């Protein structure tokens, strides 16, 4: 098992990135949100974006760095009810893969921007930081190994007005986690929205059926306010794209009844997802002639069940087999009954499962077997495939007030809180160390990520004799993060007694400890871990001429567990003509490891050299992992 990503406690040794964005070109065909004709003239209305600038009412083409704007029409045109799949289709360099049999990635799919890990992209909703998911990708392949990313699944597409993607210089403007860029999900603010849709889909193979019902409804609040409520309810069946495991074929050939071996034994594809619901609320109402109170809330939950790998009844060590012999439990070592020794090999050392099965069946039919001896082939004659999954609960609430004072200074004061909980479960498996007393399904425990963010943002323009006022934006942020590991049921991680070599089992001593496939979180690794960080920023932007824009940003962040860091950005845009821009930026960035990455610990039990050994994935903050010398 891989260790979580580690970082030194000294800021100078933290992961830092230098992003250099070469000159990019925005050519003909500037994106538009719509067009209206007035006689022979045509008026183009461009998208107004929130990210990439702190000046109000700026379009994507006016920014110093490129920002992709995915409109509501673009999102709806894809036809999929899965936001991750939709974004993969419409955003360049954004990739989301299926992660079958990848432990926690089965529950929360990681997404990548610009070929960087999923936790290198900062996710905003209505311009406010969204909390991370509670899962850390221990067994995820490729660049997402060890990543703790935001769970985007709760962001139902029907409730979106647009999605904005900023890639260059994002960390200097918006803080840690924005190395690859920033994605801002803008919720619908249309009080006239009235939409209800039903979607059904299926794979060409006939599996993977998906049924989704979603809707969006809006209403007016006060004179200029609004509220919108979006929802989605969905069920998705699993897909299977693998062929039958050759081991399973050999098991049947050895004499196991084919009806006791699933075909295929491993479902290689997307998991079952059911009770998948999302509720998204967005509102704003005027507090005075120059200010408004705003807020949004997102609540979601879903259950997931996916496949693990097949456990062969003749080869799975510490459950069905030990060494060259079948693992047979002697349930009473004080009596005179000796349980049989049954080898899975012939005289030449080759596999002879048919002979082993014959000998085992004969032993089970003997007078001394019942009550004295036990083999897991009694429960799983054809082997077993664990089913892993759980439940994901996610909640976030944002509230604030924004407006403009009499001197022209704008302000935005907000409070954000979010919580992501993943409850792990596994079934169709055993804790072999419990022998015949083992459950076959387990509550493995839970991981919970909780975050709270307080923001105070200000902006004002100053006349400096240039084409436009110099826009000066500054602000402060306070961020609390907490990662919690909740212990699972005792049988999911404890030693049930048969793991002790030779003490309780004559032929097959040394049974594995913990739920086979995914050991539950023990009381030794459970606990709460938190940190606080504060940040301040300064953001400057000015049109020097009607064609030349110059922007810069500085940001300082201080973490309670890692110290402080500073980063900056400078960017420029030159408009060659109305349809052609030259852009360039230079920036530095920083990503602090998450609380899950620095504190996740997992215990497991396995064999090494024929001996049972305990292994531990140790947190980077544990004294065991401290450098020696």
């Amino acid at each position: 098992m891989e260790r979580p990503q580690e970082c030194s406690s000294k800021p100078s040794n933290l992961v830092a990135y230098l992003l250099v964005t070469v000159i990019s070109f925005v050519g003909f065909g500037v994106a538009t949100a719509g067009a209206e004709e007035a006689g022979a003239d045509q008026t183009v209305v461009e998208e107004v974006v929130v990210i990439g600038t702190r000046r109000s009412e700026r379009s994507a083409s006016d920014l110093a760095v490129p920002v992709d704007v995915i409109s509501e029409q673009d999102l709806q045109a894809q036809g999929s009810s899965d936001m991750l799949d939709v974004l993969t289709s419409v955003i360049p360099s954004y990739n989301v893969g299926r992660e079958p049999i990848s432990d926690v990635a089965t529950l929360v799919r990681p997404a990548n921007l610009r070929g960087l890990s999923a936790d290198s992209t900062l996710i905003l909703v209505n311009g406010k930081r969204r909390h991370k998911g509670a899962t850390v990708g221990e067994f995820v392949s490729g660049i997402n190994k060890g990543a703790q990313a935001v769970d985007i699944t709760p962001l139902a597409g029907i409730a979106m007005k647009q999605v904005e993607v900023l890639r260059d210089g994002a960390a200097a403007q918006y803080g840690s986690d924005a190395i690859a860029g920033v994605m801002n999900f803008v919720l619908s603010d249309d009080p006239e929205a009235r939409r209800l849709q039903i979607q059904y889909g299926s794979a060409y193979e006939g599996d993977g059926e998906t049924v989704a019902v979603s809707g969006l409804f809006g209403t007016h609040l006060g004179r200029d306010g609004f509220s919108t409520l979006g929802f989605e309810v969905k069920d998705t069946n699993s897909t299977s794209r693998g062929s039958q495991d050759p081991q399973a074929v050999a098991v049947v050939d050895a004499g196991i009844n084919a009806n006791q071996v699933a075909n295929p034994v491993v479902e290689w594809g997307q998991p079952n997802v059911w009770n998948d619901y999302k509720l998204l609320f967005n509102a704003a109402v005027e507090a005075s002639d120059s200010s408004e109170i705003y807020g949004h809330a997102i609540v979601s939950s879903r259950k997931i069940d996916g496949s693990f790998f097949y456990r062969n009844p003749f080869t799975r060590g510490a459950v069905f087999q030990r060494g060259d012999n079948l693992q047979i439990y002697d349930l009473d070592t004080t009596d005179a009954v000796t349980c049989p020794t049954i080898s899975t090999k012939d005289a030449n050392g080759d596999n002879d499962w048919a002979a082993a099965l014959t000998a085992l069946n004969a032993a089970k039919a003997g007078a001394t077997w019942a009550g004295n001896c036990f083999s897991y082939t009694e429960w799983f004659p054809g082997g077993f495939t664990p089913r892993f999954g759980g439940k994901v609960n996610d909640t976030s609430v944002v509230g604030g007030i924004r407006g403009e004072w009499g001197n022209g200074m704008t302000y935005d004061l907000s409070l954000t809180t979010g919580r992501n909980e993943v409850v792990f479960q596994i079934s169709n498996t055993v804790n072999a160390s419990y022998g015949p007393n083992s459950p076959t399904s387990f509550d493995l425990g839970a991981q919970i990520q909780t975050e709270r963010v307080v923001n105070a943002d200000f902006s004002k323009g100053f006349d400096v004799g240039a084409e436009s006022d110099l826009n000066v934006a500054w602000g402060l942020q306070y961020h609390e993060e907490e990662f919690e590991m909740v212990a699972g049921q005792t049988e999911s991680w404890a030693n049930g007694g048969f793991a002790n070599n030779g003490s309780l089992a004559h032929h097959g001593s040394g049974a594995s400890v913990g739920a086979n496939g995914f050991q539950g979180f023990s009381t030794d690794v459970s606990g709460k871990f938190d940190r606080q960080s504060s940040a301040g920023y300064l953001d400057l932007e000015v049109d020097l001429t009607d064609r030349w824009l110059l922007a810069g940003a500085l940001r300082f962040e201080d973490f309670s567990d890692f110290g402080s860091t500073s980063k900056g950005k400078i960017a420029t845009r030159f408009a060659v003509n109305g349809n052609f821009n030259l852009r360039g930026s230079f920036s530095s960035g920083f990503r602090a490891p998450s609380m899950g990455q620095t504190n996740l610990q997992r215990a497991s039990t396995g064999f090494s050299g024929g001996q049972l050994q305990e292994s531990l994935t140790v947190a980077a903050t544990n004294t065991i992992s401290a450098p020696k010398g």
Side-chain angles (χ1 to χ4, degrees), residues 287-621:
S288 68
D289 290 340
S290 60
S291 65
E292 68 175 4
I293 298 173
Y294 65 90
H296 68 263
I298 302 173
V299 179
S300 73
S301 180
R302 63 187 186 274
K303 293 183 178 180
I304 303 102
D305 175 68
S307 177
F308 267 8
F309 291 114
Y310 174 58
R311 272 60 174 166
N312 188 319
F314 297 110
T315 63
R316 187 64 180 187
V319 179
F320 290 110
Q321 185 189 37
R322 187 178 185 216
D324 292 338
N325 299 322
L326 293 179
Q327 178 152 283
I328 299 175
Y329 295 75
D330 190 330
L331 303 181
D332 187 357
T333 58
T334 63
D335 60 19
V337 176
T338 300
C339 293
T341 300
I342 300 175
S343 176
T344 59
K345 306 290 185 180
D346 61 18
N348 297 320
D350 298 323
N351 288 329
D352 192 349
W353 297 349
L357 179 60
T358 300
L360 179 61
N361 288 335
K364 289 179 180 178
T368 60
W369 180 275
N372 296 300
C373 306
F374 173 76
S375 166
Y376 275 116
T377 57
E378 298 179 47
W379 291 5
F380 307 103
F384 64 91
T385 301
R387 300 289 304 184
F388 174 77
K391 186 176 183 180
V392 182
N393 298 312
D394 190 279
T395 305
S396 63
V397 178
V398 175
I401 184 171
R402 60 193 170 206
E404 183 176 339
W405 286 314
N407 61 359
M409 181 182 297
T410 64
Y411 63 91
D412 186 345
L413 309 176
S414 64
L415 172 64
T416 302
T417 181
R419 184 179 189 270
N420 184 268
E421 175 189 43
V422 180
V423 180
F424 299 101
Q425 296 173 326
I426 196 168
S427 61
N428 200 45
T429 188
V430 297
N431 179 343
S433 69
Y434 275 82
N437 300 316
S438 173
T440 56
S441 62
F442 302 87
D443 292 324
L444 302 170
Q447 292 175 192
I448 303 172
Q449 176 77 15
T450 304
E451 298 185 36
R452 289 168 289 274
V453 184
V454 179
N455 282 103
D457 302 290
F458 307 92
S459 179
K460 189 178 188 320
F462 296 90
D463 186 1
V464 292
E467 179 70 18
S468 72
D469 287 349
L470 171 65
N471 189 76
V472 180
W474 68 99
L476 300 172
Q477 176 180 284
Y478 177 74
H479 187 189
E480 292 182 346
E481 302 176 64
E482 180 184 272
F483 179 75
E484 180 180 1
M485 294 185 66
V486 180
Q489 71 179 86
T490 303
E491 294 88 347
S492 72
W493 53 268
N495 179 354
F498 286 99
N500 301 318
N501 282 336
S503 63
L504 294 179
H506 295 164
H507 308 288
S509 58
S512 62
V513 175
N516 194 275
F518 193 103
Q519 184 172 354
F521 302 132
S522 70
T523 53
D524 291 336
V525 301
S526 63
K528 293 183 180 181
F529 314 93
D530 58 40
R531 78 162 169 224
Q532 299 77 42
S533 65
S534 55
Y537 71 87
L538 176 66
D539 191 308
L540 306 175
E541 186 173 324
V542 63
D543 289 299
L544 296 175
T545 70
D546 60 349
R547 293 189 176 186
W548 186 16
L549 169 69
L550 187 63
L554 292 173
R555 188 179 184 93
F556 174 84
E557 292 188 80
D558 181 74
F559 296 83
S560 61
D561 52 349
F562 289 106
S564 59
T565 179
S566 299
K567 44 195 172 288
K569 164 191 171 181
I570 186 169
T572 188
R573 175 186 59 82
F574 183 78
V576 178
N577 56 46
N579 295 308
F580 190 75
N581 293 331
L582 295 176
R583 291 183 170 113
S585 67
F586 180 86
S587 62
S588 61
F590 166 85
R591 191 189 73 79
S594 69
M595 295 308 296
Q597 288 173 321
T598 55
N599 292 285
L600 179 68
Q601 296 191 140
R602 285 281 308 280
S604 61
T605 305
F607 283 96
S608 178
Q611 299 297 318
L612 194 68
Q613 288 190 350
E614 293 284 341
S615 62
L616 180 67
T617 299
V618 180
T621 53

Side-chain angles (χ1 to χ4, degrees), residues 227-255:
S227 69
T228 59
L229 180 66
F231 73 90
E232 181 180 276
V233 180
K234 182 170 67 171
D235 282 348
T236 304
N237 292 335
S238 64
T239 60
S240 181
R241 294 295 174 269
S243 58
Q244 178 64 302
D245 191 322
Q247 292 185 76
V249 175
V251 164
V252 173
D253 291 342

Side-chain angles (χ1 to χ4, degrees), residues 259 267 423:
N259 294 328
E267 291 186 3
V423 180

Side-chain angles (χ1 to χ4, degrees), residues 148-161:
Q148 184 180 0
V150 172
D151 185 3
I152 297 177
T153 302
L155 305 179
I158 196 168
M160 295 299 147
K161 177 181 179 181

Side-chain angles (χ1 to χ4, degrees), residues 97-282:
R98 298 286 179 183
E99 294 282 350
I101 316 182
S102 295
D103 285 7
V104 299
T106 303
L107 283 74
V108 179
R109 295 169 60 193
N112 311 104
L113 183 65
R114 303 179 74 182
L116 296 175
S117 62
D119 54 2
S120 294
T121 302
L122 176 62
I123 304 298
L124 307 177
V125 177
N126 284 356
K128 305 301 178 182
R129 175 185 284 264
R130 179 165 171 79
H131 58 281
K132 300 180 184 68
T135 60
V136 180
E138 299 173 71
F139 295 101
V140 181
S141 59
I143 59 175
N144 289 315
K145 183 178 288 293
Q148 184 180 0
V150 172
D151 185 3
I152 297 177
T153 302
L155 305 179
I158 196 168
M160 295 299 147
K161 177 181 179 181
Q162 63 188 36
V163 179
E164 305 164 355
V165 184
L166 167 67
R167 294 176 175 83
D168 300 324
Q173 286 185 288
Y174 298 100
S176 181
D177 304 337
I179 298 300
V182 175
M183 295 181 65
N184 182 38
F185 293 79
V186 182
L187 299 177
S188 174
D189 57 2
D190 181 9
E192 302 295 333
R194 302 289 188 274
R195 185 185 306 155
L196 180 66
Q197 64 185 34
I198 301 174
Q199 293 177 293
Y200 171 83
S202 175
Y204 284 115
E205 298 292 333
D207 56 5
E209 281 192 332
T210 300
V211 179
V213 179
S214 56
L216 177 67
F217 302 93
T219 187
H220 293 271
L221 291 180
R223 184 182 61 195
D224 297 318
F226 71 91
S227 69
T228 59
L229 180 66
F231 73 90
E232 181 180 276
V233 180
K234 182 170 67 171
D235 282 348
T236 304
N237 292 335
S238 64
T239 60
S240 181
R241 294 295 174 269
S243 58
Q244 178 64 302
D245 191 322
Q247 292 185 76
V249 175
V251 164
V252 173
D253 291 342
I256 296 293
N257 190 324
N259 294 328
Q260 296 173 325
V261 181
N263 188 6
V265 290
V266 177
E267 291 186 3
W268 194 273
Q270 74 180 20
N272 283 308
V273 183
W274 74 101
N275 288 354
D276 182 3
Y277 71 81
K278 309 172 182 70
L279 194 65
L280 302 93
F281 175 75
N282 187 32

